[in-house]
């Protein structure tokens, strides 16, 4: 694509169409842009548009498209095409910083993100001058430019907060500090001076305070891994100014908005974070500054209101206190009873209250409420921070803190009892306090695993939780009902089983509650209870104990999906999956009705898949219904196919990318249940499965290979008969997979199934070509994974077609090739093969080469006979060699960049391990002994003499053992 006006015009028109709400206009435009993004100059055309277009909408659209293009294509992945040419890469890096700094803020943010994506891959090795280019802009004095640099630096460096320690990371951080730390400190001081100069100019202050917030974030990232020497030497400058900013109160910067945090709050929140980081990690160096920070943050907490805009600030400030009170050095600051009482009264209790903002979220934004409350993304809520502070204080002061709070809990419950209708929020706070006091250690799997001995959880459950669960009106006081359900859920490992069983029918009735939070919590609690393990590793609650409630449970779960706001509720769907799994054959009578509801739901969500977890559990539930029903009666598989195929066909025709890997897995499961033939409906689909476009997407590869394996296993002969013209297509798939380091093992899975199940004559003409392809790959890149798969394949070939056929095909490619393969690959590498089935195939294959291949006895290959036997005995007796050479680090499928639906394995569509040799060979060692005996009777004297001259003594001893076990001897 040339950089000319015509192309800019075309691109503008297509970008405009991608904003069209009508999918018939939008989709083709998106497809067109996707089709040209591999062309040279495409990214430069986008950059030209975002710089020069007269239309603001097009400029922003070009910026977003450019950022997404970089996100998808910048990383170079082995085996994948590199869509960005080197010239384009160089041009982008040469211009993007300037462009970003001179663009309006909306575009600046997109380009800043793009720089950080490129930086993650190229900085510092391939983009050494990025930092110096950015630092020189600090001198410009123009804060629009400075903030652009700071924003970009923040997105580049924030990964230091969660990267694992490594030499590479340390040397990168050192390079950044050498170039960046001093200019950042100078900028920090200069910006603070400017704040004083412009103390009365609101517009200047807004810009300066957003700079200070970014500088504080950078401080956090650069100090996270370790305390850099530079910052230790300049701690006085940073901490004195941070402290000054914490205590600053500029009336001009206060906002009227109650929801949105203002610049002052954002800056102070970040400073609390920075102080907490130093208090936790560098407590010795930070000690001189700590008391004044504790005082400043304490005053901040006592004087800050309950409005939502202060939430982040208050929670970060409380988190600071929580991190300080856990450290033994600072224990003395909290020892005084009055201090503890004052913290409880002024900080913890007020921040545990259920505010009207929480009530609004509970009613109108239930999804967000659930995410915060259940999934722990409530890091920045006041309640969570107060809860963490309680846990922190309990570390050294459990007795006094529990005593102080018990008084509060009793008085709150007494208030509630006086007038429940008015005072229900008191009970809510009491339950929250008890929960935070009682929980010492928690895991996702078991809920609370360690509890405070001073709190009687069972008594509290009976007196205060059970009455709410039992109340006749499930829609009254929904917040308290949700609290009660959550109490059962988090203390499930602490409460006795009879109380959990008592709760189950009550939870089932709460699935009908109108409140989304309440019925979601009920579903989640049931799902968690059903996963609990009992004494002998069975589920704690059994299907028999659930028998009286089975029908009601299934009914209420499916009815809950029809409640407003819960059409795609992932907690309900997960509970359906878990109920099926627990109840097993008890669900069979209900399946005819339920499968209809599940397929109807699948049809609806496939129109616009937006909830990945919901969809995953939906497919898991489908798999379970198929498994459980067909286990009891395999002939029912056809009724499932009747129900599912129409929806699957629609999904395949509309190319619903997110669902294809799932559909292929469910189809594999169905096909594997069939006895030994392929129904016509599957045969009709077979040619479509070989279309190259399906194999372009990494997420499709594992399930598609499994599906093709099922086709081959159930109908290799019918494919050879009625679809022989498709065999080249099948081998084409193998060829594509074998060329990729990430997917070559999948190529071998397919090839092994072809060898095992296709009639030999149907693939005779292709055999040589298959081996040639494998040798080409061996020469171009020989990895451990490839070698292991290659060894399994040649031994399977030997088992299937015989040792002579294996030797002949190698030698037909090139004379003496068979000997080279034995010497260079089989003998030195066989110890690396892993997996019981794979090991068995290799052992049987090598045994056949040793005892059924005349060329091994009377040609130049004979010298390899004893080393091969030695390798086989070593394979039986020595530990597996799992070493991997240094230069091989496999890219994981999950690491491939961009949005590609990665493969999601369905747990309940699992496939049994298939053993192609089966029971014919029970113990390969016995087979070796018997085969050697047979060989020695055919040529008496040869075998013992070969053994005595060159097999080492230890191996010979093992071999004697095999011969004795098989009760045979060599002649």
């Amino acid at each position: 694509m040339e950089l000319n006006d015509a192309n800019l015009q075309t691109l503008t028109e297509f970008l405009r169409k991608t904003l069209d709400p009508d999918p018939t206009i939008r989709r083709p435009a998106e497809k067109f842009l996707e089709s040209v993004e591999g062309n040279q100059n495409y990214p430069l055309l986008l950059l030209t548009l975002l710089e020069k277009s007269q239309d603001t909408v097009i400029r922003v659209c070009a910026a977003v498209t450019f950022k997404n293009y970089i996100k998808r294509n910048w990383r170079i992945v082995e085996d994948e095409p590199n869509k960005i040419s080197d010239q384009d890469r160089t041009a982008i890096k040469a211009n993007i910083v300037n462009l970003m700094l001179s663009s309006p803020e909306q575009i600046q943010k997109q380009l800043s993100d793009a720089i950080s994506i490129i930086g993650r891959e190229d900085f510092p090795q391939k983009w050494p001058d990025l930092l110096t280019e950015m630092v020189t802009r600090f001198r410009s004095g123009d804060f629009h430019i400075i903030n652009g640099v700071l924003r970009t630096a923040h997105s580049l460096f924030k990964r230091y907060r969660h990267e694992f320690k490594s030499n590479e990371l340390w040397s990168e951080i050192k390079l950044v500090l050498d170039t960046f730390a001093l200019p950042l400190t100078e900028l920090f001081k200069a910006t603070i001076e400017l704040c004083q100069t412009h103390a009365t100019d609101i517009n200047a202050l807004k810009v300066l305070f957003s700079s200070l917030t970014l500088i504080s974030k950078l401080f956090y990232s650069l100090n996270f891994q370790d305390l850099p020497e530079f910052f230790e030497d300049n701690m006085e400058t940073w901490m004195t100014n941070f402290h000054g900013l914490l205590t600053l109160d500029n009336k001009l910067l206060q906002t009227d908005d109650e929801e949105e945090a203002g610049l002052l709050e954002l800056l102070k929140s970040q400073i609390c974070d920075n102080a907490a980081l130093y208090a936790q990690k560098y407590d010795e160096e930070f000690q001189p500054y700590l008391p004044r920070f504790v005082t400043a943050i304490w005053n901040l907490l006592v004087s800050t209101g309950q409005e939502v805009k202060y939430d982040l600030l208050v929670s970060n400030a409380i988190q600071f206190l929580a991190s300080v009170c856990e450290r033994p050095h600072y224990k003395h600051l909290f020892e005084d009873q009055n201090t503890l009482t004052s913290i409880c009264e002024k900080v913890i209790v007020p921040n545990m209250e259920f505010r009207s903002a929480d009530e609004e979220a509970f009613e109108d934004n239930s999804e967000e409420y659930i995410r915060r409350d259940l999934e722990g993304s409530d890091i920045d809520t006041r309640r969570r921070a107060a809860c963490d502070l309680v846990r922190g204080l309990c570390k050294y002061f459990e007795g006094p803190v529990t005593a102080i709070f018990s008084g509060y809990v009793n008085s709150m419950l007494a208030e509630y009892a006086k007038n429940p209708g008015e005072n229900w929020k008191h009970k809510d706070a009491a339950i929250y306090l008890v929960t935070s006091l009682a929980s010492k250690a928690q895991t996702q799997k078991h809920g609370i695993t360690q509890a405070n001995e001073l709190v009687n959880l069972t008594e509290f459950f009976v007196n205060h939780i059970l009455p709410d669960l039992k109340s006749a009106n499930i829609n009254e006081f929904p917040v308290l009902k949700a609290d009660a359900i959550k109490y059962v859920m988090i203390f499930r490992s602490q409460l006795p089983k009879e109380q959990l069983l008592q709760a189950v029918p009550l939870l089932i009735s709460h699935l009908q509650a109108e409140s989304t939070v309440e019925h979601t919590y009920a579903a989640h609690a049931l799902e968690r209870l059903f996963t609990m393990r009992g004494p002998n590793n069975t589920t704690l609650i059994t299907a028999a104990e659930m028998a009286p409630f089975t029908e009601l449970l299934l009914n209420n779960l499916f009815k809950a999906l029809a409640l407003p706001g819960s059409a795609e509720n992932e907690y309900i769907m997960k509970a359906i999956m878990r109920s099926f799994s627990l109840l097993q054959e008890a669900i069979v009578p209900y399946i005819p009705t339920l499968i209809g509801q599940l397929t109807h739901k699948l049809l609806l969500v496939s129109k616009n898949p937006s909830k990945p977890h919901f969809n995953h559990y939906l497919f898991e539930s489908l798999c379970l219904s198929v498994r459980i029903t067909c286990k009891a009666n395999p002939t029912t598989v056809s009724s499932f196919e009747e129900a599912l195929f129409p929806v699957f066909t629609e999904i395949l025709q509309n190319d619903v990318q997110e669902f294809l890997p799932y559909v292929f897995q469910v189809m594999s499961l169905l096909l594997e249940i069939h006895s030994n033939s392929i129904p016509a409906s599957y045969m009709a689909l077979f040619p479509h499965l070989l279309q190259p476009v399906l194999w372009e997407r990494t997420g499709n590869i594992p399930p598609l290979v499994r599906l093709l394996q099922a086709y081959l296993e159930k109908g290799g002969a019918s494919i050879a008969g009625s679809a022989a013209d498709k065999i080249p297509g099948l081998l084409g798939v193998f060829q594509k997979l074998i060329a990729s380091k990430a997917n070559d093992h999948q190529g071998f899975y397919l090839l092994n199934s072809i060898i095992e199940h296709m009639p030999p004559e149907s693939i005779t003409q292709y055999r040589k070509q298959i081996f040639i392809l494998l040798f080409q790959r061996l020469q171009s890149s020989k990895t451990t994974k490839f070698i292991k798969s290659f060894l399994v394949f040649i031994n399977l070939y030997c088992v299937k077609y015989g040792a002579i056929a294996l030797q002949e095909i190698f030698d037909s490619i090139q004379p003496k090739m068979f000997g080279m393969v034995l010497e260079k690959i089989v003998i030195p590498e066989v110890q690396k093969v892993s997996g019981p089935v794979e090991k068995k195939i290799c052992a049987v294959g090598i045994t056949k080469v040793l005892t059924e291949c005349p060329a091994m006895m009377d040609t130049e290959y004979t010298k390899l006979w004893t080393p091969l036997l030695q390798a086989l005995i070593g394979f039986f007796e020595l530990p597996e060699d799992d070493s991997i050479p240094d230069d091989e680090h496999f890219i994981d499928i999950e690491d491939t960049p961009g949005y590609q639906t990665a493969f999601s394995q369905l747990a309940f569509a699992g496939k049994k391990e298939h053993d192609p040799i089966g029971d014919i060979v029970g113990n390969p060692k016995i087979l070796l002994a018997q085969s050697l005996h047979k060989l020695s009777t055919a040529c008496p004297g040869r075998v013992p003499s070969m053994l005595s001259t060159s097999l080492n003594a230890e191996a010979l001893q093992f071999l004697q053992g095999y011969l004795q076990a098989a009760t045979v001897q060599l002649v």
Side-chain angles (χ1 to χ4, degrees), residues 314-533:
V314 168
S315 70
N316 281 1
I318 297 177
Q319 290 289 5
F320 167 78
L321 287 182
S323 61
V324 172
C325 73
E326 279 187 333
R327 317 291 295 175
H329 295 21
Y330 308 136
K331 201 167 110 180
H332 62 277
L333 294 172
F334 299 90
E335 268 168 345
D336 182 41
Q337 181 74 22
N338 295 337
T339 309
L340 283 175
T341 309
S342 158
I343 290 177
C344 294
E345 191 177 313
K346 294 187 173 147
V347 175
I348 293 172
V349 173
N351 285 303
M352 283 207 174
E353 282 169 13
F354 195 75
R355 299 168 303 167
S356 49
D358 300 314
E359 201 173 346
E360 272 171 40
F362 184 94
E363 287 166 12
D364 305 330
N365 192 355
S366 49
E367 217 167 295
E368 179 61 20
Y369 182 91
I370 291 165
R371 218 184 63 228
R372 286 183 159 181
D373 194 40
L374 267 195
E375 296 171 22
S377 71
D378 58 348
I379 303 303
D380 53 354
T381 60
R382 295 173 178 240
R383 281 192 139 182
R384 169 66 180 267
C387 192
D388 287 347
L389 180 54
V390 172
R391 281 187 201 162
L393 289 170
C394 282
K395 187 169 175 180
Y396 294 117
F397 314 107
E398 189 169 48
V401 169
T402 308
I404 294 170
F405 278 137
S406 299
Y408 276 107
V409 169
N410 292 332
S411 70
M412 286 170 179
L413 290 170
E415 282 300 306
Y416 166 74
K418 280 184 208 161
N419 184 348
E422 281 294 303
N423 298 342
W424 61 267
K425 286 184 182 176
H426 289 283
K427 180 167 183 180
D428 168 80
I431 296 175
Y432 209 87
L433 252 180
V434 168
T435 307
S436 48
L437 261 183
S439 342
K440 277 187 169 176
Q442 184 168 11
T443 67
Q444 195 62 44
K445 192 172 173 189
H446 302 290
I448 301 296
T449 51
Q450 212 189 340
N452 176 339
E453 266 81 69
L454 307 172
V455 181
N456 187 332
L457 292 169
T458 313
E459 192 182 300
F460 191 83
F461 174 77
V462 173
N463 295 338
H464 302 289
I465 299 294
L466 210 51
D468 281 343
L469 290 176
K470 282 183 166 167
S471 111
N473 179 355
I474 55 169
N475 292 317
E476 189 186 26
F477 303 135
V479 175
L480 292 183
K481 298 280 199 301
D483 287 341
I485 295 169
K486 189 178 169 194
Y487 185 93
V488 174
M489 185 174 64
I490 54 178
F491 292 116
R492 60 186 180 275
S493 297
Q494 308 293 324
L495 294 170
K497 180 175 172 177
E498 53 276 17
Q499 292 192 341
L500 298 178
L501 283 173
Q502 202 181 352
V504 166
L506 303 173
L507 292 172
I508 293 175
S509 59
H510 281 86
L511 290 168
Q512 299 262 271
E514 287 162 16
S515 150
T516 307
V517 175
E518 191 182 334
H519 64 241
T520 301
Y521 279 22
H524 188 48
L526 286 165
E527 190 271 330
R528 295 284 81 194
L529 293 181
F530 292 167
T531 49
M532 290 176 74
R533 293 275 156 205

Side-chain angles (χ1 to χ4, degrees), residues 572-614:
I572 298 174
M573 200 33 119
K574 193 175 187 185
I576 290 175
M577 170 191 84
R578 200 67 71 198
S579 306
F580 282 9
S581 171
L582 173 75
L583 297 167
Q584 290 294 327
E585 53 278 6
I587 65 168
V588 174
Y590 306 101
I591 286 294
T593 357
L594 299 182
I595 198 72
Q597 297 187 42
L598 288 171
T599 43
H600 178 64
K601 184 58 84 179
L602 177 58
L603 192 60
L604 292 178
V605 295
S606 69
K607 303 272 188 279
N608 181 18
S610 53
K611 297 279 182 71
H613 289 99
F614 177 86

